[in-house]
Amino acid sequence: MQEDRTKIVVFVWLIAFLLLLLRLAFLQLWSGKEYKRQASNNYLKEDIISAPRGVIYTKDGKIIADNIATYTIIIDSLSKLSASTRTYLTDIISPLYSKGYVPSSKKDTIKNAPFNIICKLEEQREQFPNLKVKAQPSRRYLYGGTFAHLIGYTGELSKKELQNIKDKTRDKTYKLGSNIGKSGLEKQYEEFLKGKNGARYIEVDARGRELGLLSYDPPEPGYDTWLNIDFDLQILADSIFTASNFSGCCVAMDPYTGEILAWVSRPAFDPNLFSTNLTYNVWRQCMEDPLAPLYDRVMGTNPPGSIFKVVTTAAAVDLGKLHADTYQLLSCPGAMLIGNRTFNCWDVHGATNLIEAITVSCDVFFYQVGMNLGIEPLCSKAKDVGFGKITGVDIPRESKGFVPSEQWYKQKYGGIWGKGLVANLSIGQGEILATPLQILTLISGIATKGLMYTPRILSKIVNSSGQLIYSTSAHYKTLPFSQEAINVTREGMLGAVNAPNGTARTAIIPEIQVAGKTGTAQNPHGTPHAWFTAFAPYENPEICVVVLIENGGHGGSIAAPIAKRIIQKYLSKQHSHT
């Protein structure tokens, strides 16, 4: 009996010993790192040092985005201070209330605090043991709205954005409140621009007071980014829009490389407001502004107007329905009756062949071409040239535009519609929507006689030593036009600028042959939008331009002169270097 009891006791002790061993193993092998981290936190404090973002340059070496030192005030808790000290502190920081700061009883962070307030706080440092001033880099955009839609802006990472990053990339370097590219190139090339944060490891006592620096991990700056943008061209284009208070956009490209030379959208916003301590009132003001300054019109959609006659021409020529010297059955009397509705032309043109019809932009001529073609051949050609698809430019949120189809119209109208519908489409009105970027790509394909290069803003990314990290290269696809269609279109566009009756004679440049096409897009909210697109020189093109002026009326009157100035500026600059 005694022997059985002894065995039971020994067995129980063995079980207890095994459980103890298992617990020790768990603590050492599985939870050791966590307990070590907790122990370290008792005497070690990690102070994150934000990395400066990479600098952004234009192709000619002008800095358009860099970093400046800003100051952040971190208050552990106002409630921990004595009443007199708390009053004294709030008096010092009270000027920040007008900038959106609201004091809290919990931990407060005040970003971009003015230097004069920092000086006052540092003078009375001993009175505020639970206050810390931290210097960190903040994004600076040197030219405000001039490059706003192109570069974009940075801002604090939200909870939703942080979760998306964790779900998609498992990147653990981001924390709530970290700065991140929110739009434009800042967002597109965030991976390269962000840099790598550093840290200071500081020994602290039981009360959290700093005793000394144990180690230092320096931050690594983000990589520098070089764009294809021509600084002088961008400044000129933006100044034209701001001086005349135009709403619209301008985009220019090298047709043989796809390099974007200028990208202007107005109205714009000041990205510096977004990269500092953005307040709700500032954000709401931008969002509710009827002029939509946050809207990038280069990638926005509108009816392409008469520029679309280029597509109508190619669709008819490639099907053998038109040739350079083809005349339509009805000469232009200034209007055409289709069904029971009168479709107007913008002028009386009389009898014109195809090239002349492009030159004078005769609506009546192209009404007849469109009705002869039909919806599907016309819209298929539009899709083939890239309408209804993104161009692939290296910037987020590019619009696709819209190209209808017979199936779409069947669903909308039940399979019954008149010939006026396709007549309207043939001159770029109605349901079809395109972006200035899509039109730029199309016209560059005509300029190069068949090569459509993908637009690209970025040139290269380098590290602080100038070592190449990443670069873009030219990619193209073939313009789906026959050579006959390309030749006819080029000749008609040359006439539009240079012929006595051309619609774009305001774009004439002495000693340089410019080819262009005007457009007037319907606007249900007021005056039509003015389009103009051009390339030059005619034989060996170096630049393509698209200009859109909202509520501008006729493209030849207001948009063409802007394109002329941009072309002149670029070509004079290029040839002054040769």
Side-chain angles (χ1 to χ4, degrees), residues 170-386:
R170 299 188 182 278
D171 189 334
K172 297 181 179 180
T173 60
Y174 289 103
K175 310 288 184 186
L176 194 63
S178 296
N179 246 27
I180 190 172
K182 294 275 191 173
S183 69
L185 298 176
E186 292 277 26
K187 181 179 178 69
Q188 181 76 17
Y189 294 108
E190 166 70 16
E191 172 189 356
F192 298 102
L193 288 166
K194 67 176 182 177
K196 183 180 178 182
N197 291 339
R200 293 166 65 243
Y201 295 94
I202 304 162
E203 184 180 7
V204 295
D205 63 15
R207 293 186 177 181
R209 292 176 296 194
E210 296 183 3
L211 301 177
L213 180 66
L214 294 179
S215 64
Y216 172 68
D217 230 348
E220 297 177 15
Y223 296 134
D224 293 340
T225 301
W226 289 73
L227 310 182
N228 291 316
I229 296 293
D230 183 295
F231 179 81
D232 293 332
L233 206 63
Q234 181 81 8
I235 294 296
L236 171 65
D238 187 65
S239 68
I240 294 170
F241 275 78
T242 53
S244 300
N245 202 27
F246 287 144
S247 291
C249 66
C250 170
V251 58
M253 183 174 82
D254 183 328
Y256 278 104
T257 64
E259 295 176 6
I260 293 293
L261 306 172
W263 181 299
V264 170
S265 177
R266 283 286 177 175
F269 59 95
D270 184 356
N272 291 297
L273 295 174
F274 291 76
S275 296
T276 55
N277 197 18
L278 178 66
T279 65
Y280 172 73
N281 287 338
V282 171
W283 173 252
R284 187 179 66 179
Q285 185 179 354
C286 287
M287 292 296 291
E288 295 178 356
D289 190 330
L291 296 177
L294 298 177
Y295 177 52
D296 187 350
R297 288 155 168 83
V298 174
M299 298 191 295
T301 59
N302 283 288
S306 289
I307 291 174
F308 191 74
K309 291 170 183 174
V310 168
V311 177
T312 306
T313 295
V317 170
D318 291 350
L319 287 173
K321 294 178 179 290
L322 272 184
H323 299 284
D325 56 356
T326 301
Y327 285 80
Q328 290 299 314
L329 184 63
L330 175 66
S331 296
C332 175
M336 182 178 183
L337 186 66
I338 303 174
N340 58 358
R341 179 183 165 191
T342 299
F343 284 71
N344 293 315
C345 188
W346 71 276
D347 202 354
V348 177
H349 298 109
T352 59
N353 62 26
L354 176 56
I355 292 174
E356 292 167 343
I358 297 171
T359 294
V360 300
S361 197
C362 179
D363 292 339
V364 168
F365 184 98
F366 284 97
Y367 291 150
Q368 296 173 79
V369 174
M371 289 188 291
N372 192 22
L373 274 171
I375 291 174
E376 206 55 40
L378 181 60
C379 292
S380 292
K381 180 62 77 173
K383 291 175 182 176
D384 289 344
V385 301

Side-chain angles (χ1 to χ4, degrees), residues 142-158:
L142 282 77
Y143 297 93
T146 300
F147 294 87
H149 292 97
L150 185 70
I151 301 176
Y153 63 91
T154 60
E156 281 193 11
L157 192 65
S158 67

Side-chain angles (χ1 to χ4, degrees), residues 14-299:
L14 282 173
I15 293 296
F17 184 69
L18 285 173
L19 289 173
L20 180 62
L21 284 177
L22 288 173
R23 179 60 179 166
L24 287 171
F26 175 79
L27 293 174
Q28 291 293 322
L29 299 177
W30 282 275
S31 302
K33 289 183 179 179
E34 174 61 21
Y35 283 110
K36 185 177 180 181
R37 184 189 67 79
Q38 291 180 17
S40 296
N41 288 343
N42 291 330
Y43 75 91
L44 188 66
K45 182 172 74 174
E46 181 186 49
D47 182 22
I48 298 297
I49 305 171
S50 300
R53 291 177 75 82
V55 177
I56 301 178
Y57 297 86
T58 61
K59 70 185 299 181
D60 26 18
K62 297 291 177 69
I63 296 175
I64 55 177
D66 63 3
N67 307 283
I68 55 173
T70 59
Y71 298 94
T72 297
I73 302 170
I74 302 170
I75 306 170
D76 187 22
S77 177
L78 285 173
S79 61
K80 292 182 180 180
L81 299 175
S82 66
S84 59
T85 304
R86 184 163 60 247
T87 301
Y88 184 54
L89 176 59
T90 52
D91 285 344
I92 293 175
I93 63 176
S94 60
L96 300 176
Y97 296 168
S98 61
K99 296 185 177 183
Y101 167 66
V102 178
S104 168
S105 60
K106 300 179 181 179
K107 186 171 182 178
D108 279 347
T109 300
I110 309 170
K111 292 193 172 184
N112 300 292
F115 186 67
N116 64 317
I117 290 181
I118 299 300
C119 291
K120 289 180 181 178
L121 291 173
E122 289 296 335
E123 287 172 0
Q124 307 295 328
R125 199 76 168 86
E126 293 182 358
Q127 294 193 43
F128 312 124
N130 59 339
L131 180 146
K132 180 180 178 183
V133 174
K134 188 174 182 180
Q136 56 188 28
S138 183
R139 204 52 154 165
R140 178 176 66 168
Y141 301 100
L142 282 77
Y143 297 93
T146 300
F147 294 87
H149 292 97
L150 185 70
I151 301 176
Y153 63 91
T154 60
E156 281 193 11
L157 192 65
S158 67
K159 288 183 180 180
K160 183 178 180 181
E161 288 169 328
L162 180 60
Q163 190 59 51
N164 286 340
I165 290 172
K166 288 180 177 179
D167 293 343
K168 293 178 181 178
T169 66
R170 299 188 182 278
D171 189 334
K172 297 181 179 180
T173 60
Y174 289 103
K175 310 288 184 186
L176 194 63
S178 296
N179 246 27
I180 190 172
K182 294 275 191 173
S183 69
L185 298 176
E186 292 277 26
K187 181 179 178 69
Q188 181 76 17
Y189 294 108
E190 166 70 16
E191 172 189 356
F192 298 102
L193 288 166
K194 67 176 182 177
K196 183 180 178 182
N197 291 339
R200 293 166 65 243
Y201 295 94
I202 304 162
E203 184 180 7
V204 295
D205 63 15
R207 293 186 177 181
R209 292 176 296 194
E210 296 183 3
L211 301 177
L213 180 66
L214 294 179
S215 64
Y216 172 68
D217 230 348
E220 297 177 15
Y223 296 134
D224 293 340
T225 301
W226 289 73
L227 310 182
N228 291 316
I229 296 293
D230 183 295
F231 179 81
D232 293 332
L233 206 63
Q234 181 81 8
I235 294 296
L236 171 65
D238 187 65
S239 68
I240 294 170
F241 275 78
T242 53
S244 300
N245 202 27
F246 287 144
S247 291
C249 66
C250 170
V251 58
M253 183 174 82
D254 183 328
Y256 278 104
T257 64
E259 295 176 6
I260 293 293
L261 306 172
W263 181 299
V264 170
S265 177
R266 283 286 177 175
F269 59 95
D270 184 356
N272 291 297
L273 295 174
F274 291 76
S275 296
T276 55
N277 197 18
L278 178 66
T279 65
Y280 172 73
N281 287 338
V282 171
W283 173 252
R284 187 179 66 179
Q285 185 179 354
C286 287
M287 292 296 291
E288 295 178 356
D289 190 330
L291 296 177
L294 298 177
Y295 177 52
D296 187 350
R297 288 155 168 83
V298 174
M299 298 191 295

